[in-house]
Amino acid sequence: MVHMETPKEALTHFEEMEIHEKAAFDEIIRPADAYAPNGTYWADLPIGQRVKFCISQDGTEAKKEFAWLWDMFKTDPLSPISYYFKNAVLPGAGLGLEGYVLFSISNVSSLFSESFASCWKTYEVCDKNWIAAINYLEVAGIIVGQILVGFLGDWIGRRWGLIQDATIMFIGLIMLTAAWGVTQNGWIICYAWSLFFYSIGVGGEYPMTATIGMENGYGSGKVTTSQDRLHRGRSVVGAFLMQGWGQFANQVLLILLLLIFHHGSGSPPYSTVATQWTYRVSFAIPAVGTAWLVYYRAYHMKAASKQLEAQKKKAAVTGYDMESLRLTFKHFGPRVFATASGWFANDVFFYGNKLFQKKFIGVISPNSDVTTTWTWNLVNIVVSLAGYYCAAWFVDTKLYGRKWMQIVGFMLCFILFVIPAFKYDYYVKAENIHSFQTMYFLSSFFNQFGPNCVTFLVAAEVFPTPIRGTAHGISAAAGKLGALIIAVVGSYTSVQQQFLIVPWFGLAGALITYIWLPDTTGLDLREQERRWQFIREGREHEYHGPAIHSKHLSVWERWTGKGKLYDADLDYKMKVAEFRAEWEAAMAIRAEESETDLGIDDIDDNLLQGSMHKYFERTSPVIRSMNKDAPEPLSLPDAANEKQEPMSHE
């Protein structure tokens, strides 16, 4: 005899099913790392509770990571090294190689000045303008690469942009290694144009590395959404800091090569033969690594364009998404201004420090020879590396994060430059030189633990996928204009005059960051893409989620009313409706494919958006067990039209 449920029993089963459904939705929509147990978004908590929540989350995550690292070490002591190599060194290999070569130029220039004095110092046999053009063409090549490859990366795909960058850098290194001329001036011209060609590949590395680091988390299936929210910044900065290791490797190798080819001595005079061998071998070594990088990107990064292709497919775009570019400037124009202007201000500091460090070190250590200057530069690089790693460690901390890290970094660079600017004669005295030295090295530290790392990250993060490479390239190119300006200014000014000019760019950068840059720390990249989808469809006014929370908007965006539509409860209901629609669509596809071998894992990732797979696995067995007679796919109760109470994470 079949048992017939009473109305009361049926209602009880229905309520239990709804509770389980809400719990499943809550786990997806209100994850514990971003929402308090009562369902409140972390940025909506009162300040005291917010601080407590963030500290607790940071502590919990740190314990989990250290436990995971310890388990990995116990299994295989070398596995943490291989993990770091795979997840930081490889993604940042292009930037490491370009950092090696790019910052080698000023190092070898100081050696050329000693070995080829009639060309590089007195300009008797070489044109002074061509000597100066080396720095200008380097920066010009980077700008061309940033804009060109950023555009191509959004047009033909990230993978081909990466392959193209590595190929250009490989050919450029061969040109630099083999640069020659009938006269010394002819050699300089060949060297300068070889550097220009190489720098095009360098410029392309910026938008490509940033976008790949960003998109490897979101939509790739390689990491969970929790890892994306909690460690997205670290993954991008972790790749970017390879630039610092490239500088370190170059400086160490140059010192060793000079000792080898100069008969074990680093003291002048330096022979032209020793100089030629030193600089050419120093360029030949990264050529080998770059050749390998071409191979790796061609054969082991075939899914690099996956997220871009998914977004284009959703928008029915086959070529370059001009509509997304137009909408970006319409809706995110102030963000473009913030990322471009912030990068411009930063590069005045960064390249001012790097391109003319010989002048600064000359004040710290007068009458230094080449190896002494290189040794001081090595110390400066080590200090900078410490800043890189501090940035990677703190960039995802909700109580500090991207925006405040950039503001504080800019302000400290301003202070550390403006003090010696107005008291220069005091600080260059022998008894005060250590204070000058400390301020110079601290400026390097806070430039990395601040705007240099953050500008690279946010220029990709605050823009939508279809034009992310373009926006990053434009911002990076604006930065190199700052480098070009300081290159020109530095050629015609003294050290004190540079100190008087540069600080104000730090102050301007801090103000621009505060007013126009949004803070995306702790914001799920999926949520930003969801907001973009509303904008793309002309429904911006229907979006009510965290991407327009005041915490994640700039001061300017808040002033212009971008956050007035934020409504956490309404957004929750809309997400429930969206996930239900996706679930039912997925079940419909599964029903159509029931006669094939396809399973739930074969359904389009873009339809499921990753989370729906998890939702299906969690809810389907529960629903079916409570209502065995229900047909598949089961029509779920319309929870979106009912009042949703905040759920706990139990």
Side-chain angles (χ1 to χ4, degrees), residues 336-347 406 410 451 455 479 509 512-513:
V336 177
F337 172 77
T339 56
S341 300
W343 208 325
F344 177 91
N346 170 69
D347 273 14
Q406 182 157 308
F410 267 132
T455 50
I512 289 168
T513 303

Side-chain angles (χ1 to χ4, degrees), residues 20-21 132 179 189 196 222 245 304 326 365 368 431 441 492 507 536 549 559 591 634:
H20 281 278
E21 184 199 21
I189 295 173
F196 173 80
K222 294 181 181 179
W245 280 111
R326 184 187 69 81
S365 182
S368 300
E431 62 270 23
F441 286 143
Y492 302 99
L507 183 61
R536 192 72 170 73
H549 190 287
W559 283 346
L634 181 64

Side-chain angles (χ1 to χ4, degrees), residues 127-368:
D127 190 328
K128 181 179 181 180
N129 292 325
W130 272 109
I131 298 292
I134 290 173
N135 282 336
Y136 303 154
L137 284 174
E138 176 186 7
V139 176
I142 295 173
I143 292 174
V144 171
Q146 286 167 335
I147 296 175
L148 176 63
V149 181
F151 175 82
L152 291 175
D154 288 335
W155 182 17
I156 63 176
R158 316 296 193 218
R159 176 172 175 254
W160 290 108
L162 288 166
I163 295 171
Q164 174 184 279
D165 289 339
T167 303
I168 291 174
M169 288 195 296
F170 174 65
I171 296 172
L173 278 169
I174 294 175
M175 294 168 63
L176 284 168
T177 304
W180 202 259
V182 176
T183 64
Q184 286 193 37
N185 196 59
W187 163 53
I188 296 303
I189 295 173
C190 183
Y191 179 76
W193 283 112
S194 298
L195 181 60
F196 173 80
F197 183 84
Y198 176 84
S199 298
I200 294 174
V202 170
E205 277 300 304
Y206 283 74
M208 289 301 96
T209 302
T211 53
I212 286 298
M214 198 69 56
E215 293 165 6
N216 261 353
Y218 167 59
S220 68
K222 294 181 181 179
V223 299
T224 65
T225 56
S226 175
Q227 287 175 304
D228 176 60
R229 284 187 299 273
L230 296 174
H231 306 305
R232 181 174 66 244
R234 186 177 68 184
S235 67
V236 176
V237 175
F240 181 62
L241 66 79
M242 291 308 300
Q243 185 184 74
W245 280 111
Q247 297 172 48
F248 179 85
N250 170 257
Q251 194 61 87
V252 171
L253 279 173
L254 278 176
I255 293 173
L256 292 176
L257 289 171
L258 183 60
L259 291 174
I260 291 170
F261 295 117
H262 194 49
H263 309 294
S265 171
S267 302
Y270 307 104
S271 71
T272 57
V273 174
T275 298
Q276 290 280 358
W277 276 102
T278 297
Y279 107 83
R280 292 183 190 279
V281 172
S282 74
F283 284 148
I285 291 172
V288 177
T290 308
W292 177 86
L293 190 63
V294 175
Y295 156 78
Y296 180 81
R297 289 177 172 180
Y299 292 96
H300 295 277
M301 296 187 69
K302 295 183 179 180
S305 300
K306 179 179 179 181
Q307 183 56 31
L308 176 65
E309 291 169 356
Q311 290 295 324
K312 285 187 175 183
K313 182 178 179 181
K314 186 179 294 185
V317 174
T318 55
Y320 188 85
D321 196 343
M322 294 299 298
E323 179 63 12
S324 288
L325 184 64
R326 184 187 69 81
L327 290 172
T328 295
F329 277 96
K330 178 182 177 181
H331 294 274
F332 297 146
R335 295 188 177 193
V336 177
F337 172 77
T339 56
S341 300
W343 208 325
F344 177 91
N346 170 69
D347 273 14
V348 172
F349 270 102
F350 183 70
Y351 281 89
N353 188 303
K354 294 299 179 184
L355 292 177
F356 300 102
Q357 59 193 349
K358 183 181 178 181
K359 291 185 178 180
F360 296 120
I361 294 174
V363 174
I364 297 171
S365 182
N367 303 316
S368 300

Side-chain angles (χ1 to χ4, degrees), residues 560-586:
T560 55
K562 290 286 186 182
K564 63 183 179 182
L565 294 175
Y566 174 70
D567 188 325
D569 292 332
L570 181 56
D571 182 62
Y572 181 89
K573 295 174 183 178
M574 289 181 67
K575 284 179 180 174
V576 169
E578 290 169 11
F579 282 139
R580 176 177 289 103
E582 291 171 1
W583 185 86
E584 292 175 347

Side-chain angles (χ1 to χ4, degrees), residues 349 408-418 443 446-447 451 503 506:
F349 270 102
V408 171
F410 267 132
M411 289 304 300
L412 285 172
C413 285
F414 166 71
I415 293 169
L416 291 167
F417 268 59
V418 81
S443 72
F446 283 107
N447 183 247

Side-chain angles (χ1 to χ4, degrees), residues 27-102:
E27 185 176 335
I28 298 168
I29 299 172
R30 291 172 172 165
D33 59 83
Y35 288 81
N38 65 357
T40 303
Y41 188 54
W42 69 271
D44 282 325
L45 294 169
I47 185 64
Q49 294 180 31
R50 186 189 310 176
V51 171
K52 183 178 179 181
F53 174 84
C54 292
I55 292 175
S56 174
Q57 286 295 319
D58 289 343
T60 300
E61 188 64 18
K63 289 179 182 177
K64 288 165 65 175
E65 288 206 304
F66 280 121
W68 163 79
L69 187 63
W70 176 242
D71 289 340
M72 183 186 294
F73 179 81
K74 288 190 295 183
T75 303
D76 179 357
L78 295 180
S79 59
I81 298 175
S82 62
Y83 177 86
Y84 181 77
F85 182 84
K86 181 179 179 181
N87 291 276
V89 176
L90 282 181
L95 286 171
L97 288 164
E98 65 88 4
Y100 176 104
V101 178
L102 186 66

